Amino acid sequence: MGMKYFTDGVDYPNILGGDILPDGTLWSYVSSTFLNGFINYAQPIKCYLMNRYRDWNEERENDDLKLQHRPPMENKWVDHVFKTKEEVYQFVLKNPTGYIHSRLDVFNDDILVLGKVKDTPNKYIFFWFDRDVSDCCIGVFTTEDTEENVVNEFRSYVQEIGAELQRDYLRKTDGCSAAELPLGIFQGWVKF
């Protein structure tokens, strides 16, 4: 299982030696800080919030979900505190822009991102932020497929992963295993 664009995979790559992110190879079990080194140099084109660790309406008690946002036509930042992933998600849908230095870990769950490598035609980068921050994935690939086909392949992969996560984690999701996030959240210096 996986996107057709990755013909090779490396678990626990030795990042200090060899080719950094070889084309067509998916690196698994890397740190989220490694992903942070690349996300700001990619142009995200699709992003999904997964339902793996937290159900949509599962309340957090001592670990609130916080997000900083500047409403349109306002000069000051407003801190928002949420108790559930659903609350954060609905806020982001209603306010697709106005973030700075976005922290994607605010959702407290997995985030999958497909992006284009800036200034390089036909080259894409894939990110899988795992809330268990040492189990992330990243890979770069080049293809002659249209962007639409690449996005469709990514969407199919997300649906496949979502169904697998539902089975493995027995989430009460009301049928929602993944939800698309607006790309406006990728503003400022983004961090997983």
Side-chain angles (χ1 to χ4, degrees), residues 32-174:
S32 64
T33 57
F34 188 75
L35 272 61
N36 289 338
F38 291 90
I39 188 64
N40 292 291
Y41 301 99
Q43 176 190 352
I45 56 177
K46 276 292 176 198
C47 179
Y48 288 92
L49 167 62
M50 304 305 288
N51 195 46
R52 180 178 187 184
Y53 289 101
R54 297 273 179 205
D55 283 324
W56 290 96
N57 289 310
E58 184 178 339
E59 286 199 22
R60 306 291 309 268
E61 291 191 20
N62 297 323
D63 189 17
D64 293 329
L65 305 169
K66 297 177 184 159
L67 187 65
Q68 195 174 53
H69 179 258
R70 186 174 71 193
M73 310 303 283
E74 296 279 332
N75 287 330
K76 67 179 188 171
W77 294 97
V78 178
D79 290 327
H80 298 273
V81 178
F82 308 92
K83 287 290 186 187
T84 67
K85 180 169 57 173
E86 177 70 24
E87 289 176 1
V88 182
Y89 179 69
Q90 290 303 323
F91 181 85
V92 170
L93 286 183
K94 291 177 186 153
N95 301 281
T97 61
Y99 305 95
I100 189 72
H101 307 314
S102 298
R103 288 185 51 227
L104 298 178
D105 64 350
V106 70
F107 295 98
N108 213 345
D109 220 322
D110 288 11
I111 303 281
L112 276 68
V113 179
L114 175 66
K116 290 176 107 173
V117 175
K118 291 180 180 176
D119 302 324
T120 309
N122 304 323
K123 195 161 197 150
Y124 296 85
I125 187 164
F126 167 76
F127 301 90
W128 182 336
F129 167 73
D130 186 322
R131 196 190 83 165
D132 181 2
V133 296
S134 63
D135 292 348
C136 300
C137 300
I138 187 170
V140 174
F141 63 90
T142 305
T143 181
E144 293 299 320
D145 287 355
T146 65
E147 184 174 319
E148 181 181 2
N149 287 343
V150 173
V151 168
N152 287 336
E153 174 73 15
F154 177 63
R155 186 179 296 116
S156 294
Y157 179 69
V158 167
Q159 290 169 350
E160 196 174 318
I161 290 298
E164 182 179 302
L165 292 177
Q166 276 187 310
R167 283 190 306 273
D168 292 350
Y169 291 84
L170 302 173
R171 291 283 174 223
K172 300 171 246 157
T173 62
D174 298 328

